[in-house]
Amino acid sequence: MKALVYRGLNTIKLEDKPKPEIQDPTDAIVKIKYTTICGSDLHILAGHVPTCKEGTTIGHEGMGTIDSIGDGVKSFKVGDKALISAISACSTCSNCKRGMLSHCDKAGWILGHTIDGTQAEYVRIRLADSSLHKVPDGIDEKAIVMLSDIVPTGYEVGVLAGQVKPGSTVAVVGVGPVGLGATLTAKLLSPSLLIAIDKDPARLEAAKKMGATHAIDSSKEDPEKIVKELTGGLGCDCVIEAVGVPATFELCQNLIAFGGTIANIGVHGAPAKLALDKLWGYNIAITMGFVNTTSTETLTRMFQAGTLKLDDMITHEYNLQKEGEQAYATFGAAAKHKALKMIINTEA
Ligand SMILES: [Zn+2]
Ligand SMILES: [Zn+2]
């Protein structure tokens, strides 16, 4: 089978690999129909994820059909359609029982990281019962891939951790795919203000389409000044960081209202300043962490009901076998190509 394989710094290769086989009774082999590339995959290529070894098939998002199962898999049978969760989990260890699936003793973020991932024709899913979700009939099978990772991440780590409520004033700093996932799902909770901040006009346009009430181009405008104007000088109840560099985390601290929550989603590679001398008396909270994917089933129901619209997130489609490497080239230059998420199909 064909697979997109990490081959060291900035190198991704489309290679032939053996089809994966069942190794443990709780495994399932999924024949991938649609997968996608994530910002985390680019972090791997950039060498920021040393736990991912050369030769690993990349990818932790996708959907497909169950090709085979181990004897211990109870909730899926061969032929079922399944959505793959970015987080694999056992559901029985102490961390899983506390809802911390991302810190599962036996798994967590392993796919396309410490074991072969989804950017291939087939993938082995460990702990399949609790790492896969049923795909309802008649659903858009490309759009549902947005629920493998980016939308649950925006919702759980941004919106829910950020305590967004009806009437909240919300700012999302960085509206790439995960920031857009936060924008889409914040909108479901009826905020009174939903302000998107980014330097990329195409992303700001997408954020407005997905429900942002205001868009601030931080390459041309001063976000702090505009947020203060829009909130009558208060700042925002919830500020979501979805970039992962010191400057944007520091900006969040200048946008937060008394009593608010800064919800950091960004994956940071360097320390950032925390203005404790200013913020100690603000009665605020700062949250951060990995997605646990405990919201996936809820979000799937909302998608099925039509209250959550996901297809605007997809801007490009490529074929794995013919254009897998091209997909990376486009996603790597996302601003130039106005790329948000790209579907990679495996149609022969
Ligand atoms: Zn991802
Ligand atoms: Zn566990």
Side-chain angles (χ1 to χ4, degrees), residues 224-298:
E224 199 180 332
K225 183 166 168 275
I226 298 172
V227 165
K228 288 278 154 69
E229 281 168 11
L230 290 171
T231 56
L234 292 175
C236 285
D237 300 319
C238 170
V239 182
I240 295 171
E241 202 284 350
V243 182
V245 298
T248 47
F249 182 72
E250 288 159 21
L251 171 64
C252 292
Q253 299 171 45
N254 296 330
L255 304 180
I256 194 72
F258 297 132
T261 303
I262 297 172
N264 178 84
I265 313 176
V267 177
H268 289 263
K273 276 196 195 119
L274 175 60
L276 266 178
D277 51 335
K278 174 186 156 195
L279 296 173
W280 70 267
Y282 268 48
N283 300 61
I284 63 166
I286 301 175
T287 64
M288 62 195 80
F290 251 108
V291 64
N292 288 306
T293 62
T294 45
S295 68
T296 309
E297 305 258 330
T298 308

Side-chain angles (χ1 to χ4, degrees), residues 3-6 12 17 32 34-45 52-53 55-63 84-88 108-120 122-125 145 148-149 320 328 331 341-342 344:
L4 282 164
V5 179
Y6 172 54
I12 187 94
K17 271 199 170 182
I32 295 286
Y34 300 117
T35 178
T36 182
I37 306 173
C38 184
S40 322
D41 302 328
L42 298 186
H43 278 294
I44 291 174
L45 292 197
C52 181
K53 302 297 176 208
T56 305
T57 301
I58 304 295
H60 50 265
E61 299 166 71
M63 68 78 58
I84 297 162
S85 178
I87 300 295
S88 303
W109 177 40
I110 54 171
L111 266 184
H113 173 204
T114 57
I115 65 169
D116 283 338
T118 56
Q119 289 165 18
Y122 293 87
V123 63
R124 170 183 165 241
I125 300 297
V145 174
S148 280
D149 177 7
L320 176 87
Y328 265 88
F331 193 64
K341 285 294 268 186
M342 36 209 31
I344 300 179

Side-chain angles (χ1 to χ4, degrees), residues 106-174:
K106 300 194 184 85
W109 177 40
I110 54 171
L111 266 184
H113 173 204
T114 57
I115 65 169
D116 283 338
T118 56
Q119 289 165 18
E121 291 179 70
Y122 293 87
V123 63
R124 170 183 165 241
I125 300 297
R126 289 188 49 213
L127 305 158
D129 278 327
S130 38
S131 308
L132 294 172
H133 299 276
K134 294 243 163 69
V135 173
D137 284 334
I139 216 158
D140 180 337
E141 295 178 352
K142 293 177 188 173
I144 200 173
V145 174
M146 304 302 114
L147 297 183
S148 280
D149 177 7
I150 55 159
V151 177
T153 298
Y155 183 53
E156 293 176 24
V157 189
V159 175
L160 294 182
Q163 305 281 334
V164 177
K165 296 177 184 70
S168 292
T169 53
V170 180
V172 182
V173 179

Side-chain angles (χ1 to χ4, degrees), residues 7-83:
R7 284 291 169 202
L9 200 60
N10 295 323
T11 312
I12 187 94
K13 288 244 161 69
L14 186 68
E15 295 183 1
D16 286 305
K17 271 199 170 182
K19 183 180 163 185
E21 291 174 354
I22 300 286
Q23 295 178 27
D24 296 313
T26 50
D27 287 352
I29 305 299
V30 176
K31 183 178 195 304
I32 295 286
K33 187 168 183 187
Y34 300 117
T35 178
T36 182
I37 306 173
C38 184
S40 322
D41 302 328
L42 298 186
H43 278 294
I44 291 174
L45 292 197
H48 299 159
V49 188
T51 38
C52 181
K53 302 297 176 208
E54 275 189 49
T56 305
T57 301
I58 304 295
H60 50 265
E61 299 166 71
M63 68 78 58
T65 308
I66 306 281
D67 183 68
S68 57
I69 51 170
D71 295 340
V73 176
K74 303 295 177 215
S75 342
F76 293 90
K77 58 182 191 311
V78 172
D80 282 352
K81 286 180 196 162
L83 173 70

Side-chain angles (χ1 to χ4, degrees), residues 88-97 100-101 103-108 127:
S88 303
C90 73
S91 81
T92 55
C93 74
S94 301
N95 280 324
C96 280
K97 284 189 167 172
M100 292 289 122
L101 275 64
H103 299 281
C104 172
D105 291 353
K106 300 194 184 85
L127 305 158

